[in-house]
Amino acid sequence: SGFLTDASGAVTPTATSTKQDELKYSIQFKEWQYRVSALDESLNKTFTIIHGQCNRAMKARIDEDPNWETIDRNCDPIGLLTILKSITHNNESQRNPTISLIHSEKTTHEHGAR
């Protein structure tokens, strides 16, 4: 196949690598690069859409998060959703502490019943 695997699992090319092998791996590498590029583009678009749906008050709260600069610089939609979850969860707790306590106790009992 053009490659050797030693006892440690390291793969090294052998002299029997063919042009066909090189072409095959070159094509696979280009396909991988395309998929990574498409993923990055999708994540950036998702980040922009999520952030664009936030009103000014929510954006002000997002800006207060200590991780926001890094999340914004990397266009990280997962990080943005994490901040939004934190903000909305905290708002629910502050708005209705009794319901928050009931939910907390219910969750505790559900986990204890397992």
Side-chain angles (χ1 to χ4, degrees):
S1 69
F3 293 92
L4 292 177
T5 305
D6 64 17
S8 69
V11 177
T12 56
T14 64
T16 60
S17 261
T18 64
K19 289 289 182 191
Q20 185 177 6
D21 290 335
E22 291 174 16
L23 180 61
K24 173 183 163 186
Y25 293 112
S26 174
I27 291 170
Q28 288 177 343
F29 180 71
K30 286 179 184 176
E31 289 172 351
W32 173 80
Q33 285 179 314
Y34 175 79
R35 287 193 306 269
V36 168
S37 176
L39 175 63
D40 286 343
E41 185 178 336
S42 293
L43 290 172
N44 289 340
K45 286 179 181 179
T46 302
F47 175 86
T48 302
I49 290 168
I50 294 168
H51 193 255
Q53 293 298 311
C54 296
N55 60 30
R56 279 187 294 195
M58 183 65 76
K59 286 180 181 177
R61 296 280 308 275
I62 291 168
D63 287 343
E64 294 171 1
D65 190 279
N67 298 317
W68 171 241
E69 285 184 30
T70 303
I71 290 168
D72 185 36
R73 184 175 44 255
N74 295 329
C75 291
D76 175 9
I78 306 299
L80 177 54
L81 288 173
T82 301
I83 292 173
L84 290 171
K85 180 180 177 184
S86 170
I87 291 169
T88 56
H89 176 73
N90 288 340
N91 278 347
E92 180 61 34
S93 298
Q94 292 167 1
R95 235 186 348 217
N96 208 332
T98 304
I99 297 221
S100 181
L101 179 62
I102 292 168
H103 283 303
S104 176
E105 287 186 16
K106 180 180 175 189
T107 303
T108 302
H109 289 293
E110 287 174 354
H111 287 293
R114 290 182 183 169

